[in-house]
Amino acid sequence: MDPNQKRAKAVDRVDSVDTGAASSESTRMCPFPDEVLERVLSLIGSHKDRSSVSLVCKDWYNAERWSRRHVFIGNCYSVSPEIVAARFPRIRSVTLKGKPRFSDFNLVPEDWGADVHPWLSVFSTAYPFLEELRLKRMAVSDESLEFLATNFQGFKALSLLSCDGFSTDGLKAIATNCKNLTELDVQENGIDDLGGHWLSCFPESLSSLEILNFASLNSEAPQLMELGTGTFMQELVSGPVTELKNTFSNCKHLVTLSGLWDATPLYLPVIYPACARLTFLNLSYATLRSIELANLLTHSKSLRRLWLLDTVGDKGLEAVGSCCPLLEELRVFPADPFDQEIFLGVTESGFVSVSRGCPKLRYVLYFCRQMTNAAVATIAQNCPDFTHFRLCIMNPGQPDYLTKEPMDEAFGAIVKTCTKLQRLAVSGLLTDRTFEYIGKYAKNLETLSVAFAGSSDLGMEYVLGGCPKLRKLEIRDCPFGNAALLSGLTKYESMRSLWMSACNVTMNGCRELAKEKPRLNVEVMKDEGSDDSQAHKVYVYRTVAGPRRDAPPFVLTL
Amino acid sequence: MELELSLSPPYQKTPSIINKSFHGGDDDRCSSTVTRFPRVSWNQDEDDDNNKRFFNGEYQQDMDGDGEGLIGWPPLHSWRKRFMEENHSGGEGFNGRVDEEGENINVMNNNYNELLFVKVKMDGVGIARKIDLNAIHSYQMLTSTLIHMFHKYVENDEDGASYKLMYQHKDGHWLLAGDIPWEMFIQTVQRIQMVRK
């Protein structure tokens, strides 16, 4: 049910009960004075809880909106900046997400949208005291960064994740103008590295910086001596490891270590002294072998999160299983995703080893070239607490390599055993049965990613008919058509978004969805040279802001 | 890292030569060609009589303009992909060789054995591959390695019997591989082609 509709109803209901003036003390439903209620509500952080609070009655709605300091906007087109500013007058911190996730994989053309500037314009008048801005998959220009740096005097924390459109010039503007900066987090962005030593633009007197992370850049060899000494350094991303030798021996407080893309085996021991208290180690840019990893891990027994390249092989993962009993998150990326070299990477055996030694695992992202149903069933038994299970068997449609069966039972085992599962990405050869399992058992599932899977419309129908908490569904290259799309008519307004690309959906199917559900934006991205009746890329999302006014020519809103 | 596309694969309209650039811009070249064709069998082992079609669905496929195959697959952040190419292009970083225990040997700096990369092309396949001949010790191993590398394109034929192996001698002419001892072969081979009989 559309929460906006529900909220409107709640307000109406209260109005009809109130006999006198809206805020008359004698007829108010709520016994607390405004100030007390606001004070109490200001202690509530979770935006989901706040949404619930705002639905109780008109007084609570008002108290909530005045006490809210942070707003989370999961889809920038679901609402407009004007609406946000009108409802929440006292925001200090904004999280804003833009493009569909598949844009990370080049499935969304450039100039699709999600420009942050209109938001900054509104915020500059509505929230001049804005302190924090966290952007994900937004289009951010240097002009916008400069605007941000010069229009918000108390600005403290900027996080840019998977954004694009800016260069180091924009970062220079931030470094130069934000006198109170405590956090600058710039990761995985499509950034133009124009060099220019933007790091040196931080004023000498800047003592407030606590978090500095710029994993997007190659050119800047960080002058970490100046930045690191004396300050609690949460995360650092390194260039040549040799430069950091002294820094590491001083880094007794280091809890996060990232990068090391020049880490040849000779230099790894340099970081051993810093490893004892490490809880997060990101080695996904370092082509380590199993033996090097094993040596490193014997120094890092406190690890909770570990990112690796599959060059470490199954042997390396055995070391993970033996050394990291507290491990909660593991991500294994492929060093050679396009099979250019002869490369084994990791197999089901490595995954099983980790699951045996790390029963607290809850988040896994695993790229591999072979998998079996039996292995995944074992893994599920060993690690029943999975909240995020993302398995990528890199050959599309590949079956269990031993039995040649589809991988249905693997994911069946996961959803049946791991009742806390919130996020699932499936791969391999999958029939509709996988989706039957998911729809039936995955009661807490919020995000599902599907590629090259399913046999018929039924697959998608199972998911849309089950999964009560589903919020994001992203599908590519599956044989799901209009019947499947339309089976979710009653569900889409309770979800953030649906993405379908290279499926069997037609323009007519999309038009029908748009007609039936006016509160959804049904957008189709047109492709050059493709059949006009096919809807090649479909993006559906709920919104209170109506159709996009900034849509480029290749985006059709139906 | 270069990708040379000299033969159009059956599903693509025009050949193109692509250079990867760090700053993206690949999007212009990524014309997704929509073609409908049935899923091929992945069954590569002895059980060829069955040649089961596991996958019933026919669906469109997004083909990457630069011949890598599917756009956006595997689902790696484009930034990470670009980074790996920039910093660990084949031959310089690691070469993916495997030792006796099946462990990957990664050449971190070039103090390890010489790398001997030659290009390999298969008839009908637009994408050239590279192979390190110093990691291979016999013609037998070469053939089975190539089958493994090109297994996506080889149907009903796990031992390469329907292909013959030609190599370009450093003199420029093409010869049938297998006539000279392996050690001599690797001294003179410039590139390799798998030719359909």
Side-chain angles (χ1 to χ4, degrees), chain A residues 24 33-34 42 61-62 95 125 136 149 159 208 243 305 375 407 472 477 487 505 523 537 553:
Chain A
S24 156
D34 280 339
S42 68
Y61 176 85
N62 280 321
T95 302
T125 41
K136 188 169 185 180
S159 171
S208 54
E243 293 191 11
R305 300 171 59 209
M407 296 296 296
K472 287 178 286 183
D477 294 274
S487 72
V505 173
E523 295 177 1
K537 287 177 185 161

Side-chain angles (χ1 to χ4, degrees), chain B residues 165-177 180 185 188-193:
Chain B
L165 219 55
M166 307 285 299
Y167 72 100
Q168 188 178 36
H169 194 275
K170 59 188 174 192
D171 294 348
H173 41 267
W174 286 85
L175 302 169
L176 192 62
I180 55 174
F185 172 71
T188 73
V189 61
Q190 298 300 296
R191 57 175 69 217
I192 294 173
Q193 180 107 9

Side-chain angles (χ1 to χ4, degrees), chain A residues 125-140:
Chain A
T125 41
Y127 309 133
F129 303 113
L130 188 71
E131 291 174 1
E132 283 186 12
L133 187 61
R134 296 179 194 283
L135 303 177
K136 188 169 185 180
R137 294 192 196 99
M138 297 292 294
V140 180

